[in-house]
Amino acid sequence: MPRPAPDRADVRQRILEATYACVALWGLSKTTVEDAARQSGLSRATVYRYFPGGRDELIGAVVGWQYATFFLRLYEEVRDAESLEEVIERGLVFAHRAIREHEVLQRILVTEPELLLPQLSVESKGTEQLIAAFLVPYLERHALAAGVVVPEAADFLARMVLSYIAAPGRWDLDDPGAVATLVRAELLGGILPAGV
């Protein structure tokens, strides 16, 4: 009896995981379609069937997969937060730690930033909207300063959160006290009523 054909999603995932393993070993610029095929135990033709754009499409898909994985983990970390302040504070602390501890990302940011950063820019385009949409219910339950409109506040907070995740500046995102001050005094300073 013939074995059933593997599910397309399973094969695609296998290729992504194999390519990521190659990137972890050799970096973005040295990883080839042939490497991905060999690492996954599949033929080059199979890899091209799933990624007809070749190496560029494959690398873009791996970056996108890792990016989505990061934000799924971030969502899991904050989804049960009870307040606007808590969701932003927990999100910043988690994101900072996850990025700092991601060995492959850190190495590529040092050795090949010119290859990675454009890929991340492509991936981040829809992220602001997703974060803003996630924050809307928290904003709707919170007392807001006079004149603050929920969609605009959500958009502002999403942009600021992404900015601080990427570059915390003078803020120590490992220090919960510093993060609380950042969130309550700076990020929410003009959004919440004075004294809240």
Side-chain angles (χ1 to χ4, degrees):
M1 181 173 194
R3 278 191 280 178
D7 181 84
R8 276 190 64 81
D10 291 341
V11 173
R12 187 175 197 283
Q13 184 65 27
R14 182 172 159 188
I15 295 168
L16 291 175
E17 289 171 1
T19 306
Y20 179 76
C22 294
V23 168
L25 289 171
W26 304 304
L28 289 170
S29 63
K30 293 182 180 175
T31 296
T32 66
V33 171
E34 290 76 15
D35 295 328
R38 186 173 32 258
Q39 183 73 22
S40 65
L42 299 167
S43 69
R44 285 180 63 228
T46 299
V47 174
Y48 276 107
R49 192 167 29 258
Y50 284 82
F51 299 95
R55 184 190 171 287
D56 290 344
E57 182 181 348
L58 182 58
I59 294 297
V62 168
V63 171
W65 167 58
Q66 283 293 299
Y67 192 84
T69 300
F70 168 79
F71 278 98
L72 181 59
R73 289 178 54 219
L74 176 61
Y75 169 75
E76 290 297 321
E77 180 68 23
V78 302
R79 70 182 173 141
D80 63 345
E82 295 185 12
S83 70
L84 177 62
E85 295 85 351
E86 183 184 3
V87 76
I88 297 173
E89 289 170 21
R90 284 171 54 184
L92 283 171
V93 169
F94 169 82
H96 174 70
R97 184 181 67 242
I99 289 171
R100 185 187 65 230
E101 294 173 358
H102 196 291
E103 292 177 20
V104 175
L105 174 63
Q106 290 304 319
R107 188 171 63 247
I108 291 172
L109 283 172
V110 169
T111 60
E112 302 177 290
E114 72 285 355
L115 297 177
L116 180 61
L117 295 177
Q119 295 282 345
L120 292 178
S121 294
V122 168
E123 293 300 327
S124 70
K125 288 183 179 175
T127 304
E128 260 181 44
Q129 294 171 334
L130 293 173
I131 292 173
F134 183 79
L135 293 173
V136 164
Y138 290 96
L139 286 160
E140 289 174 339
R141 294 192 312 249
H142 212 296
L144 302 177
V148 172
V149 180
V150 169
E152 291 173 8
D155 179 64
F156 167 77
L157 287 171
R159 285 185 283 112
M160 293 308 294
V161 163
L162 284 173
S163 173
Y164 279 108
I165 287 171
R170 65 185 172 92
W171 294 97
D172 179 0
L173 299 186
D174 290 319
D175 177 355
V179 173
T181 300
L182 166 63
V183 169
R184 293 161 198 264
E186 291 206 6
L187 297 183
L188 298 177
I191 293 174
L192 304 184
V196 173

